[in-house]
Amino acid sequence: MLPPFRPLSSCLDLQGAFAQLSREGFASCSLDETLRQLTATTARMLNIERVSLWGLSARRTTLECIDLYELSGDRHSRGMTLRAARYPEYFRALTRGEPIVADDAMKHPSTQEFTDDYLLMNGISAVINSPIHVNGELQGVLCIERVGPHSAWTSVQRLFAHAIASLVSLALLQSQLVLMEEELRDANHLRRALFTGARDAILISDASTGHVLDANPQAEKLFGRQLQQLLGVLQSELHSTGDTLDVRELCKLLVNTGRSEAFLGEVINGDGKLIPVEVTGQVVELAQGRRIVQGIFRPLDPAAADA
């Protein structure tokens, strides 16, 4: 349970509240826990009975309650849905991106359609609805709802609602970044597993210099060299003198044709043995215009490569 807060009544109180939020921080919490703390903190600091967060569906046809905090019972709930077909004026107002501030929710043009099946049912008299944006896109809304007699919202309460909505946006953005980083790590692990587990030998070379940047275990086996012995070597040095393969020329060819190319050649293993191979080359564009060439080497006589 959160500790009690002195209700906000001035800009100095507002600054103090945010200083307290900054000190506590939410970085170590899950997204769900962060949002639950924000709804509860808002209710206590504003001394408001109901504070909730709603997520907007991709087609902007439905709002789903992510978390509702009720101050008097110190409880959280979720799951309620609001449909645009039932509340068209509210959804139109929300998608305009401006806060909806209703001192009398039953008379405000954007919220009065909630009167019978939401406002009266929950004893709500006044609301502040602050839209939540992430990367410029509307993602949901923060709802602050007064229960009991209606009265005008103060400027401090409006500012605080806007600021909390911004904190929610930040929490959602941070969560997205964490997920993206996890997905990237998983993708990199998968690519590495496929690279090292490939049946064919693979060399990764710098397209501009021809130097080997990486090699998989099958390439170490084919060329009879450890990875550290392959790194930095000109790929052309791994081919027989009769081969005219130059990675830089190959890169130009691949870029011009826009596809991978296969050709026959011979590579030299660590003992000087020539091994006939089929080589498939493909250019991969990296960040900032850098290019690499992925060469896949398949021995034409697997038994000779294993010998």
Side-chain angles (χ1 to χ4, degrees):
M1 180 184 297
L2 292 171
F5 294 98
R6 181 166 62 89
L8 304 179
S9 60
S10 69
C11 288
L12 286 176
D13 289 340
L14 179 64
Q15 293 174 3
F18 269 90
Q20 181 171 347
L21 283 174
S22 299
R23 285 194 301 271
E24 291 175 354
F26 301 101
S28 61
C29 302
S30 68
L31 178 61
D32 285 346
E33 181 59 27
T34 294
L35 299 182
R36 285 164 60 90
Q37 288 190 36
L38 285 172
T39 54
T41 298
T42 302
R44 289 172 176 269
M45 286 184 170
L46 293 180
N47 194 29
I48 289 294
E49 173 61 21
R50 292 166 57 95
V51 177
S52 56
L53 287 167
W54 301 72
L56 186 64
S57 65
R59 295 186 178 181
R60 300 191 174 191
T61 58
T62 306
L63 281 168
E64 181 175 353
C65 183
I66 298 170
D67 183 64
L68 164 65
Y69 178 76
E70 296 172 275
L71 182 62
S72 60
D74 186 28
R75 63 176 177 265
H76 294 268
S77 58
R78 60 182 301 165
M80 183 179 178
T81 58
L82 302 174
R83 301 188 180 279
R86 176 68 181 84
Y87 310 104
E89 289 302 322
Y90 174 76
F91 273 76
R92 274 193 286 270
L94 183 62
T95 55
R96 286 195 288 268
E98 297 297 326
I100 299 171
V101 181
D103 295 332
D104 187 341
M106 297 183 193
K107 294 181 179 179
H108 193 283
S110 298
T111 58
Q112 61 184 2
E113 57 193 2
F114 287 105
T115 297
D116 293 334
D117 53 5
Y118 186 83
L119 300 178
L120 286 174
M121 183 184 302
N122 294 295
I124 298 168
S125 60
V127 301
I128 299 177
N129 285 185
S130 292
I132 296 166
H133 294 86
V134 178
N135 294 326
E137 292 290 330
L138 181 65
Q139 297 291 321
V141 61
L142 167 70
C143 297
I144 297 173
E145 301 168 335
R146 176 179 286 121
V147 172
H150 66 80
S151 60
W153 296 102
T154 67
S155 59
V156 170
Q157 290 170 325
R158 296 184 187 196
L159 283 171
F160 191 74
H162 177 71
I164 292 296
S166 297
L167 283 180
V168 174
S169 298
L170 180 59
L172 293 173
L173 180 59
Q174 289 176 336
S175 177
Q176 287 183 7
L177 291 174
V178 169
L179 289 175
M180 289 172 62
E181 289 173 355
E182 291 175 351
E183 290 173 356
L184 181 60
R185 282 196 297 271
D186 290 343
N188 287 335
H189 290 159
L190 176 59
R191 283 195 293 270
R192 194 69 197 176
L194 293 173
F195 178 69
T196 57
R199 297 179 60 183
D200 295 322
I202 302 175
L203 289 181
I204 305 297
S205 303
D206 188 297
S208 62
T209 67
H211 290 103
V212 174
L213 302 174
D214 202 356
N216 71 346
Q218 286 296 338
E220 293 180 89
K221 182 178 179 182
L222 175 64
F223 293 103
R225 306 189 193 190
Q226 297 297 313
L227 176 61
Q228 293 302 318
Q229 295 174 305
L230 288 170
L231 296 180
V233 172
L234 278 173
Q235 186 170 319
S236 57
E237 295 178 6
L238 301 174
H239 294 258
S240 70
T241 55
D243 260 341
T244 57
L245 176 71
D246 185 297
V247 169
R248 291 165 290 187
E249 294 300 321
L250 175 61
C251 179
K252 293 178 183 178
L253 174 64
L254 296 176
V255 170
N256 290 335
T257 60
R259 62 178 185 271
S260 61
E261 293 285 341
F263 55 92
L264 301 180
E266 290 181 321
V267 298
I268 308 171
N269 72 4
D271 296 328
K273 180 181 178 181
L274 297 180
I275 302 174
V277 293
E278 178 188 75
V279 185
T280 303
Q282 182 177 8
V283 171
V284 178
E285 190 92 24
L286 301 181
Q288 299 178 341
R290 187 185 180 193
R291 290 172 175 162
I292 60 172
V293 175
Q294 175 182 272
I296 300 175
F297 297 76
R298 179 169 296 176
L300 297 179
D301 183 1
D306 292 335

